[in-house]
Each structure stands twice: as structure tokens, then as C-alpha cells.
Amino acid sequence: MRVADALDALRSATDVSGATLAFYAAKARPLRSALGFVPAGQVTPRRIAAYVEGRDAAGVGRGTIHKELCVLRRALAGAGVADPLAAVPRLRHRTSPRRRFLTAAELAGLRTSLDPERAWWVTVACYSGGRRSEVEALTWERHVDLVGERLLIPGTKTTWAERWVPLPPALIAEMRARASRTGPVVRPWAGNVNRDLRRACARVGIPRCSPNDLRRTFASWLVQAGVSSYQVAKLLGHTTSRMVEKVYGHLTDASARAAVATLPTLEAT
């Protein structure tokens, strides 16, 4: 079996979500181009070093290369390679997680720079903490419970990520105003969402943001309000709080100062 065949088999896996399969497909493209002809059992650290060198020369970030090699290891494991890690050594790299999240004022400005349907899309993303695929999978009939004032976020990345998220007051009124609708809660974002959000941010003079920054906004607001990392992780669909602590939850200077201000004062001497 060639590497190309192993990658094709990985992309047809039935034990992962559609979003994960799309991730595999995207990361497999450069692997197929450079290594597709190589028998799966003949992938060696030397070949991988040459692959990494070529991707470096093309200006590809180390984080992206790391993800490509992870996909290759999984494909080789599926092809019966006994020790994929020996064939594809780990790539040493340091990543600096994005820290961008919106303030309430920035969200208000961003909403004014978008047409009403896209402003609603951004609002739902910020107040639900859903991934883009989860936000666009929401339907009024299955996922919106206005009686219980909560949203059922579908687990599009993993099946166990499906979870209920209470509707915040800021979202309830607008949800009730739209409750007569059927079908998708938001209109899928046609075109390049990252480019469109970047341009919308530029129009109101705020730093650019991405769909994942909207998800980070949800988490960061909760952390700043004193919600535990474990609870935030559950609302995001994570099994542990590690990702919240490392990537999603960020404190503002004001909330950090407020936290430190709770420390006991020194006893007079």
C-alpha cells in the first residue's frame, strides 16, 4: 500500500465526524503530492526530514507541518505500519496560541459593520461558544429550547461534544423574536469568512478576528466573570480544562487586578 492509498483510507473513516474528515483531506493534500508514491512501509525519518525542509522552504508554518505529520502517522497506523512514530518523528516546534477575543464594545461595533444576517451569525457564535460547524448546524426545531432557555450545541467535531448551553439574557430576546422561523438558526456564511470578518473589523477600526476568536470570546468572558475552567470546558465541548487554560480563557488587566485584590491584607506590625 502506498502513502496515497493510506491517506485515502483515512479520509473514508467512519468513526470520526465530517469536520475531522475535512481536516484530514486538507492536511493530506501536500502529503500526497510529496510522498504519495512511497510505499507506506518505506516511510523513513530521512524522507520526513526532506518533506519538512520542503515545507519550510515554501513558507509553511511549523504548526501546520506538525498537523500534517500527525495525519500521516494516523494514516500509516491504519495501513498496518508497526511504529508510525519511528517512521514519522515528532516535529519540534513552539506554538503561541492566539489571545484575541472581543470586548463587548468591539462586538457591538462589529455587528454594525455587517449585514443583519451575518451580524446574527456573529452574535450566536459569541454567545454560544460553538465552533463554526456547530453554529451552522443549529436548527430551530432540534436545537433551540426557548422554554428551558437553552441551546443544544451539536457535536460536529466529535459525537460526545454535543452539549446543552444555557441561553444568556443578551440572546434570549432576539431568539424569541425569531422563534417563528424554521430550519437553520443562522444562514451559512457564504464565501471566505476569515476575509469577510477581517474587512468588517477594519471598517470599524478594531483588530481582526476569526470564527475561532468568537469562540474564544465566549470562553474569555466566562473566565473573566469567575467561572471555573472546568465549567467553561464543559460548555465548549471539551473533556478537560486544559484547552481553556492554554488557549481559550484569557483575563483582561481589569479582571486580573480584581482577582489579585481579593488577596488578604498584611497584618499590622
Side-chain angles (χ1 to χ4, degrees):
M1 178 184 286
R2 300 175 307 155
V3 167
D5 301 321
L7 291 169
D8 287 343
L10 180 62
R11 290 167 55 192
S12 62
T14 59
D15 60 340
V16 296
S17 68
T20 300
L21 291 177
F23 171 81
Y24 289 162
K27 301 309 173 189
R29 281 193 284 271
L31 293 166
R32 285 178 61 89
S33 177
L35 300 168
F37 64 93
V38 178
Q42 293 181 23
V43 175
T44 63
R46 173 176 285 186
R47 288 186 187 274
I48 298 305
Y51 175 80
V52 171
E53 183 177 352
R55 297 294 277 160
D56 279 337
V60 178
R62 279 295 176 109
T64 297
I65 302 171
H66 165 74
K67 292 174 183 177
E68 292 167 359
L69 297 185
C70 288
V71 169
L72 179 57
R73 279 190 214 101
R74 173 144 189 176
L76 294 180
V81 173
D83 191 352
L85 185 58
V88 185
R90 289 191 176 92
L91 180 67
R92 297 194 175 203
H93 74 292
R94 286 188 174 183
T95 59
S96 180
R98 279 179 60 80
R99 301 181 64 85
R100 174 70 170 128
F101 64 90
L102 296 174
T103 65
E106 286 177 332
L107 174 58
L110 178 59
R111 280 165 49 93
T112 65
S113 69
L114 294 165
D115 69 64
E117 287 303 317
R118 287 188 168 181
W120 174 237
W121 192 104
V122 166
T123 303
V124 173
C126 273
Y127 282 98
S128 70
R131 302 172 177 89
R132 177 185 178 181
S133 58
E134 292 172 336
V135 169
E136 294 191 344
L138 291 170
T139 63
W140 290 100
E141 298 87 347
R142 171 165 168 71
H143 302 107
V144 179
D145 176 11
L146 287 176
V147 175
E149 297 184 342
R150 58 183 186 166
L151 280 177
L152 178 61
I153 306 296
T156 56
K157 188 173 183 181
T158 53
T159 54
W160 48 258
E162 183 174 271
R163 71 269 183 201
W164 285 103
V165 173
L167 282 170
L171 204 56
I172 291 174
E174 196 159 357
M175 280 280 185
R176 292 194 187 283
R178 295 168 175 260
S180 61
R181 300 189 180 189
T182 59
V185 172
V186 302
R187 180 185 301 166
W189 197 296
N192 189 318
V193 61
N194 287 288
R195 179 199 61 207
D196 294 341
L197 284 175
R198 183 176 66 249
R199 291 176 177 175
C201 289
R203 286 195 292 270
V204 291
I206 63 175
R208 67 183 179 89
C209 70
S210 68
N212 204 50
D213 294 334
L214 305 181
R215 177 168 159 84
R216 187 178 297 108
T217 294
F218 173 83
S220 296
W221 286 352
L222 291 175
V223 170
Q224 291 160 26
V227 179
S228 73
S229 294
Y230 174 77
Q231 183 61 66
V232 175
K234 300 298 284 184
L235 292 170
L236 289 173
H238 291 305
T239 54
T240 72
S241 63
R242 180 176 176 273
M243 285 296 289
V244 173
E245 294 156 357
K246 182 179 179 181
V247 177
Y248 288 108
H250 298 295
L251 293 174
T252 61
D253 288 341
S255 56
R257 288 179 182 275
V260 172
T262 65
L263 296 175
T265 58
L266 288 172
E267 295 291 336
T269 58

